[in-house]
Amino acid sequence: IDIIDCAKTYPDGTRGLKPVNLTINPGEVIALLGPSGCGKTTLLRLLAGLETANSGSKILFANRDVTRLPVEKRDIGMVFQSYALFPQMSVETNIAYGLRVRGVPADVQRKTVGELIDLVHLNGLEKKRPGELSGGQRQRVALARAVAVKPQVLLLDEPLAALDAKLKESLRDELADLLRRLGITAVHVTHDQQEALAIADRLAIMGAGELIQVGDG
């Protein structure tokens, strides 16, 4: 990912993000770390295509200019703080959703879902609905659903924020391990320094709408 002079000013004149320049290597996990209102979520939303960047901003995924592309054309996976699972669907149907929408053949869907269920340790829970799962299990379903379509970039918006402290700690290491095994380029937004250090290869520290420092995790 190449982020070049990427900035965001809202219609009321509020500067959500001052020009940011950052290169993220293929397969790297980078954490955007900082307090609420520092610009990290704005940057994530610009990468996702959920916000429009100021003119002069540029976002490239593997040298492909996605700056003005709509979210569905960017080849991204997203995991939100709320997980946004479909409550009426089972675990396996939730995970298969993106594949089904893309018209992937049923046998390929089954194979991919089976592999991901193994990968995120949800065996035996395939037929359960999100309401019957723990917070940690729901988080794994959301992650499996996001990566099922093999996105070029995975965006994680405070994915552990809704969990209690003890569960957060065990899932932190699990998430770090899972991202390494997937080998996917990921951007992880958090205000928790321990979480950022445990999960990311590099940290991008943000404050007051700008990138302050980038360093190794």
Side-chain angles (χ1 to χ4, degrees):
I1 304 173
D2 289 299
I3 300 165
I4 304 155
D5 291 331
C6 199
K8 174 69 181 176
T9 306
Y10 291 97
D12 66 358
T14 308
R15 293 188 75 180
L17 192 68
K18 293 171 188 168
V20 165
N21 289 284
L22 180 63
T23 294
I24 301 163
N25 301 315
E28 182 178 34
V29 179
I30 195 158
L32 303 179
L33 178 67
S36 293
C38 70
K40 60 188 189 298
T41 299
T42 302
L43 180 52
L44 191 83
R45 289 176 67 81
L46 290 171
L47 291 173
L50 296 169
E51 299 276 2
T52 310
N54 291 2
S55 61
S57 303
K58 213 167 207 186
I59 299 168
L60 306 176
F61 290 171
N63 295 323
R64 180 174 70 111
D65 190 340
V66 300
T67 319
R68 302 285 166 228
L69 283 183
V71 61
E72 67 276 8
K73 297 263 174 71
R74 292 197 181 201
D75 193 16
I76 55 160
M78 274 200 89
V79 179
F80 299 96
Q81 192 175 327
S82 64
Y83 310 144
L85 298 172
F86 300 111
Q88 76 284 11
M89 290 184 188
S90 67
V91 165
E92 58 189 2
T93 355
N94 260 292
I95 295 172
Y97 178 76
L99 299 167
R100 203 168 65 248
V101 168
R102 284 167 174 76
V104 172
D107 56 333
V108 179
Q109 284 185 42
R110 275 195 301 275
K111 182 173 181 286
T112 305
V113 170
E115 286 168 356
L116 285 166
I117 295 260
D118 284 346
L119 188 66
V120 298
H121 309 304
L122 287 168
N123 307 75
L125 302 173
E126 294 90 340
K127 305 294 180 199
K128 292 205 179 295
R129 293 185 179 191
E132 302 172 273
L133 303 176
S134 68
Q137 288 165 343
R138 284 199 293 273
Q139 201 246 354
R140 285 183 224 157
V141 176
L143 194 63
R145 186 182 63 182
V147 300
V149 294
K150 298 190 168 57
Q152 198 170 10
V153 172
L154 180 65
L155 303 175
L156 303 149
D157 188 10
E158 306 245 10
L160 305 180
L163 305 173
D164 64 58
K166 197 172 179 194
L167 185 57
K168 190 184 274 195
E169 204 167 305
S170 63
L171 266 179
R172 201 171 63 192
D173 300 333
E174 207 173 283
L175 181 58
D177 178 51
L178 195 56
L179 290 172
R180 297 298 171 287
R181 280 188 284 157
L182 288 165
I184 208 164
T185 308
V187 181
H188 173 201
V189 161
T190 182
H191 60 269
D192 182 327
Q193 192 176 340
Q194 293 310 113
E195 188 182 308
L197 288 167
I199 289 172
D201 300 311
R202 276 193 304 157
L203 308 187
I205 315 290
M206 298 191 69
E210 58 188 325
L211 186 60
I212 299 168
Q213 191 181 356
V214 181
D216 293 338

